[in-house]
Amino acid sequence: QTRSLLGVFEEDAAAISNYINQLFQAMHRIYDAQNELSAATHLTSKLLKEYEKQRFPLGGDDEVMTSTLQQFAKVIDELSSCHAVLSTQLADAMMFPITQFKERDLKEILTLKEVFQIASNDHDAAITRYSRLSKRKENEKIKAEVTEDVYTSRKKQHQTMMHYFCALNTLQYKKKISLLEPLLGYMQAQISFFKMGSENLTEQLEEFLTNIGTSVQNVRREMDCEVENMQQTIEDLEVASDPLYLPDPDPTKFPAHRNLTRKAGYLNARNKTGLVSSSWERQFYFTQGGNLMSQARGDVAGGLVMDIDNCSVMAVDCEDRRYCFQITSFDGKKSSILQAESKKDYEEWICTINNISKQIYLSENPEEIAARVNQSALEAVTPSPSFQQRHESLRPAVQSRPPAARTSSTGSLGSDSAALSALSLDSLVAPDTPIQFDIISPVSEDLPGQAKSSGQSGRRTNPFGESGGSKPETEDSILHQLFIVRFLGSMEVRCDESPDVVYETMRQILAARAIHNVFRMTESHLLVTCDCLKLIDPQTQVTRLRFPLPNVVLYATHQENKRLFGFVLRTSGGRVDSHQTSICYIFESNNEGEKICDSVGLAKQIALHAELDRKASEKQKEIDRVKEKQQKELNKQKQIEKDLEEQSRLIAASSRSNQSSTEGQFVVLSSSQSEDSDLGEDGKKKRESEA
């Protein structure tokens, strides 16, 4: 009966344990969800506060939106605090009681059950051994041990049983407590949470939420209107663009624009794969200044295909393709055959490249000038003359064309100079300093310090000393290095001792070009010699500017963009004011600027050594002249002494001869006179010669 009743209690304890485990998992999910909700709410508030720090490409600087989100962040932050308090209360009032019941009381029942089972088994074993005692051969010692064993096991079983039964009876009460206490704590925590929420969510907040709701509705209506307008625009564009969906639209409805100086679009380029075979590759082509660029799909930037200044373009007849044209560079070394998608694009590409080849894009009104030469652009559709004829025909045009430096972009920034001077460093660049964006040739202007000789203007300069006739002024120079550069600008500077003045000038000139949309750059050849720096026109070989090397006091390249370099030229102030001024010239090179700076430094070193050698030579010549003069004086003194000595010897000899010949003077004279009369004229001359 006891065993049967114990089985009922143990079955009840197992059911309670199973149910409590499920309830514990459910309450633990509530607790975990509350912790996650608290953390998510806190993270949401943090992200809303950081909205004002975001930099959205399409305008994230809306102050109204920022202030609204800051208000939401404040409210959500308060709710996050409430959720954190609720999480703490759930941990203390709900999870602690049920966890304690599960980990302490239920585990105690299981432990007592195991101990009771062991004690019961030990008692059964002891009784079995006691029952096996022999009736005939009684051993008092064994009997005493078995009796003691029965006593001990029976006592242990009884005590364990009483504790186990007591725990099973107590479990019925603990079961109720373990169910009610967590629920009570959960409800009290929720009540406390809602009270805190009602205190934070005031009427003022309700008014704020109402206003925000109204704003959201207004934005939604605006969005609906905008979407409706965009849909209508899309429909209109679809109707208007329907003829353009054809790969080759009707040229009568869509005539070609022949006055373009910029063009972009997809073209097919022919690539030779063998002596006869070729393949076509479709790429995106666009013009940039005087260059033709291409960009494959997926590339970040385009690459240079060809320099199309002074190039030739003509239609070609390909056997397997239509709308093909060929572009040949000015020197005839490079050519490309391209195919347009339609006849309209075909004619526009030919006209555009023809306009660019004439450098119309460099003028102020390129479309107007292109319209004037529209007839020549149309003639470019037919096959052009040979390269040699085109080359010869272009020479007079190049020579007679005004220099590229004479443009209206030269000069100061005008009213914007004050705004740019605010960006400058007063210690390096003078405020209100005009920026010159283009080169002024000495043919047309006299720059300070650019003294020109009588035969310099308009004279061609061969940088390699191969010109016939007159001898180049740099023919005896040790160093001749030529670089291709593009002039960005120049401006007067205050300081010419630190490379920072070059960096600051680069920054101001690049900023000014961006502000005034000045993208044109005059390309020149920079010749570095031991005497000067020369800017030479690459087509006419005319010297545009000449910078004496001793006046170049500072040169540096950009710290990050190694293609940019500049130098500071110290010159006289001009014809009226003779004070020294410093002008910083900035260039862009195809090569690295450091190479040009190294070349200038080498030229200055060679010039310095040459100057030292010249001074040493002049000093040696002066010493030789002094020695020669001293030697002449010494020789003159010796000659005078020799003459005096000879004179003294003659006087002494004369005095001795006078004493011996005084007595016979008259006799000799008479006899000599008689002899002279007898000898005649010949005798007289002979005697005179003897005397």
Side-chain angles (χ1 to χ4, degrees), residues 19-62:
Y19 179 77
I20 289 299
N21 286 331
Q22 295 179 7
L23 184 63
F24 174 80
Q25 293 177 1
M27 289 186 175
H28 202 280
R29 287 184 62 183
I30 294 175
Y31 176 67
D32 291 341
Q34 184 59 41
N35 287 336
E36 180 64 23
L37 180 60
S38 177
T41 308
H42 178 71
L43 178 61
T44 303
S45 174
K46 182 181 178 181
L47 291 176
L48 292 178
K49 290 179 181 178
E50 293 178 353
Y51 176 81
E52 61 182 357
K53 299 179 182 179
Q54 303 299 317
R55 295 294 179 267
F56 297 102
L58 296 180
D61 55 349
D62 189 358

Side-chain angles (χ1 to χ4, degrees), residues 258-259 355 360 365-375:
R258 304 180 181 276
N259 303 331
N355 293 336
I360 296 176
N365 297 316
E367 290 195 2
E368 294 183 3
I369 298 179
R372 298 174 188 173
V373 294
N374 191 20
Q375 186 62 32

Side-chain angles (χ1 to χ4, degrees), residues 28-319:
H28 202 280
R29 287 184 62 183
I30 294 175
Y31 176 67
D32 291 341
Q34 184 59 41
N35 287 336
E36 180 64 23
L37 180 60
S38 177
T41 308
H42 178 71
L43 178 61
T44 303
S45 174
K46 182 181 178 181
L47 291 176
L48 292 178
K49 290 179 181 178
E50 293 178 353
Y51 176 81
E52 61 182 357
K53 299 179 182 179
Q54 303 299 317
R55 295 294 179 267
F56 297 102
L58 296 180
D61 55 349
D62 189 358
E63 296 180 357
V64 177
M65 190 68 179
T66 302
S67 61
T68 303
L69 293 182
Q70 288 294 329
Q71 185 68 22
F72 271 112
K74 182 179 179 182
V75 176
I76 294 176
D77 201 6
E78 294 176 355
L79 293 177
S80 176
S81 301
C82 296
H83 284 292
V85 173
L86 177 60
S87 298
T88 305
Q89 291 179 350
L90 290 178
D92 296 338
M94 182 181 72
M95 295 306 300
F96 179 72
I98 194 170
T99 303
Q100 191 176 21
F101 175 72
K102 177 177 176 293
E103 298 294 333
R104 186 185 65 180
D105 298 332
L106 294 179
K107 283 188 177 182
E108 182 184 6
I109 295 293
L110 294 176
T111 304
L112 289 174
K113 180 180 179 181
E114 293 177 359
V115 173
F116 171 73
Q117 190 67 35
I118 294 172
S120 179
N121 293 336
D122 291 344
H123 177 262
D124 292 341
I127 291 295
T128 302
R129 284 196 301 271
Y130 180 76
S131 301
R132 290 177 180 177
L133 288 174
S134 177
K135 181 179 180 182
R136 296 177 182 180
K137 296 179 181 181
E138 292 186 0
N139 191 339
E140 295 294 333
K141 185 178 179 181
I142 296 176
K143 182 179 180 181
E145 290 178 358
V146 172
T147 303
E148 182 66 23
D149 193 11
V150 171
Y151 171 79
T152 303
S153 61
R154 184 172 288 177
K155 183 179 179 179
K156 183 180 179 181
Q157 180 191 15
H158 185 241
Q159 290 177 352
T160 304
M161 181 179 61
M162 288 189 296
H163 286 290
Y164 182 39
F165 291 171
C166 180
L168 288 175
N169 291 328
T170 309
L171 182 62
Q172 300 301 318
Y173 297 97
K174 290 182 177 180
K175 174 182 68 173
K176 300 175 181 178
I177 296 173
S178 63
L179 289 176
L180 296 177
E181 277 189 351
L183 296 176
L184 182 63
Y186 173 75
M187 296 306 298
Q188 288 177 349
Q190 293 292 341
I191 292 171
S192 176
F193 172 73
F194 287 122
K195 284 183 178 180
M196 289 187 295
S198 63
E199 292 175 358
N200 294 328
L201 303 176
T202 59
E203 295 181 357
Q204 184 177 1
L205 180 60
E206 292 181 0
E207 183 180 357
F208 170 72
L209 295 177
T210 303
N211 294 334
I212 297 301
T214 305
S215 300
V216 170
Q217 294 298 327
N218 294 334
V219 172
R220 187 178 297 277
R221 284 194 293 270
E222 292 178 2
M223 181 187 67
D224 293 339
C225 294
E226 184 68 20
V227 170
E228 185 179 353
N229 293 334
M230 286 190 293
Q231 291 293 338
Q232 184 63 37
T233 304
I234 290 174
E235 293 177 1
D236 296 341
L237 287 176
E238 287 180 352
V239 174
S241 304
D242 187 69
L244 296 177
Y245 294 150
L246 296 173
D248 193 4
D250 188 359
T252 58
K253 296 181 179 179
F254 301 97
H257 195 346
R258 304 180 181 276
N259 303 331
L260 297 175
T261 55
R262 299 175 67 181
K263 179 71 175 171
Y266 281 96
L267 294 174
N268 293 322
R270 190 175 73 170
N271 300 320
K272 289 186 177 180
T273 57
L275 295 176
V276 181
S277 61
S278 61
S279 62
W280 295 83
E281 183 181 5
R282 188 171 185 264
Q283 285 189 354
F284 185 80
Y285 284 80
F286 60 95
T287 61
Q288 190 176 54
N291 298 324
L292 179 64
M293 315 288 288
S294 70
Q295 183 173 351
R297 183 169 298 175
D299 290 349
V300 179
L304 178 64
V305 176
M306 186 186 302
D307 183 3
I308 53 178
D309 276 339
N310 296 323
C311 72
S312 63
V313 56
M314 64 179 181
V316 293
D317 187 12
C318 294
E319 296 179 357

Side-chain angles (χ1 to χ4, degrees), residues 414-471:
S415 60
D416 292 339
S417 61
L420 289 177
S421 64
L423 301 174
S424 65
L425 301 175
D426 293 342
S427 60
L428 300 177
V429 181
D432 299 328
T433 301
I435 297 178
Q436 180 175 307
F437 291 120
D438 213 337
I439 296 176
I440 297 181
S441 174
V443 178
S444 58
E445 297 288 342
D446 291 331
L447 289 178
Q450 302 293 330
K452 58 180 181 177
S453 60
S454 59
Q456 182 180 358
S457 301
R459 182 175 60 84
R460 291 179 179 269
T461 301
N462 191 337
F464 301 101
E466 298 175 356
S467 60
S470 62
K471 180 181 179 181

